[in-house]
Amino acid sequence: EAGVTQFPSHSVIEKGQTVTLRCDPISGHDNLYWYRRVMGKEIKFLLHFVKESKQDESGMPNNRFLAERTGGTYSTLKVQPAELEDSGVYFCASSQELVGVEQYFGPGTRLTVT
Amino acid sequence: DAKTTQPNSMESNEEEPVHLPCNHSTISGTDYIHWYRQLPSQGPEYVIHGLTSNVNNRMASLAIAEDRKSSTLILHRATLRDAAVYYCILVKGSSNTGKLIFGQGTTLQVKP
């Protein structure tokens, strides 16, 4: 069974540009999460989808970040316009249930904004 | 959300057991205790979780104190591949998101 995949693995963009990160969860997992780690800080929750609906987006830093999950399958996270402080590693995770189960994480996308 | 406290770092010798402690004195009755780890340059990886009883799986064992205010992750025979940051995370059983709140974790160093 394929795990959670993320694309691209690395992205280097200039300040002010737009970047779109993609996450493909494990097939059949209704729950999809985005997290990120910025340099020197802890991994932080960004948002949670149940199928195509945003269940919790309390961790989204500001309105430059837009997440979508069309059709309840893969998800995209767009940053527009990117700022220097957006640099970090963005992780996606998926799970079958909400609690009492494991979340499966992807390898992450390393975003560098110069 | 209830907070967890872990030592910043620990060391172990290869092939010896490792006991990673976690304090969660404000845990509520429905909080699950989860452990994840992150190997270098990889995404976090699930290790084990429990609610009240001790748990064993192929990776590790989880010992939960009777009052549930602390727990210990036990790696029975540490290998070099177990060098990672280990996170103890509480997830509310009543949560409508299941989101994970990561702390700083414990960096485990395994010496050959």
Side-chain angles (χ1 to χ4, degrees), chain A residues 31 33 35 37 42-45 48 50 55-56 58 91 98-108 110, chain B residues 32 34 36 38 41-46 49 87 91-104:
Chain A
N31 298 285
Y33 303 84
Y35 298 85
R37 162 178 263 151
E42 298 157 5
I43 299 171
K44 294 288 190 186
F45 165 81
H48 166 222
V50 177
Q55 181 70 18
D56 181 352
S58 61
F91 295 105
L98 283 178
V99 294
V101 297
E102 63 181 286
Q103 290 186 17
Y104 295 83
F105 281 78
R110 180 173 295 278
Chain B
Y32 284 83
H34 285 246
Y36 283 77
Q38 187 175 22
S41 301
Q42 294 188 26
E45 174 187 35
Y46 168 83
H49 78 276
Y87 299 97
V91 180
K92 287 190 177 300
S94 58
S95 172
N96 63 352
T97 75
K99 64 185 177 186
L100 301 176
I101 309 296
F102 288 83
Q104 291 190 333

Side-chain angles (χ1 to χ4, degrees), chain B residues 72-103:
Chain B
T72 302
L73 178 70
I74 303 166
L75 307 179
H76 296 286
R77 288 183 68 218
T79 68
L80 296 179
R81 194 191 171 280
D82 291 321
V85 181
Y86 287 79
Y87 299 97
C88 170
I89 300 170
L90 302 183
V91 180
K92 287 190 177 300
S94 58
S95 172
N96 63 352
T97 75
K99 64 185 177 186
L100 301 176
I101 309 296
F102 288 83

Side-chain angles (χ1 to χ4, degrees), chain B residues 11-60:
Chain B
E11 286 184 358
S12 172
N13 294 318
E14 198 176 11
E15 299 191 5
E16 290 185 355
V18 182
H19 290 232
L20 297 163
C22 180
N23 287 320
H24 28 79
S25 58
T26 59
I27 191 171
S28 69
T30 60
D31 286 347
Y32 284 83
I33 303 162
H34 285 246
W35 284 81
Y36 283 77
R37 71 180 185 181
Q38 187 175 22
L39 280 66
S41 301
Q42 294 188 26
E45 174 187 35
Y46 168 83
V47 178
I48 201 167
H49 78 276
L51 185 60
T52 56
S53 303
N54 294 343
V55 184
N56 299 296
N57 67 19
R58 62 175 179 80
M59 288 183 70

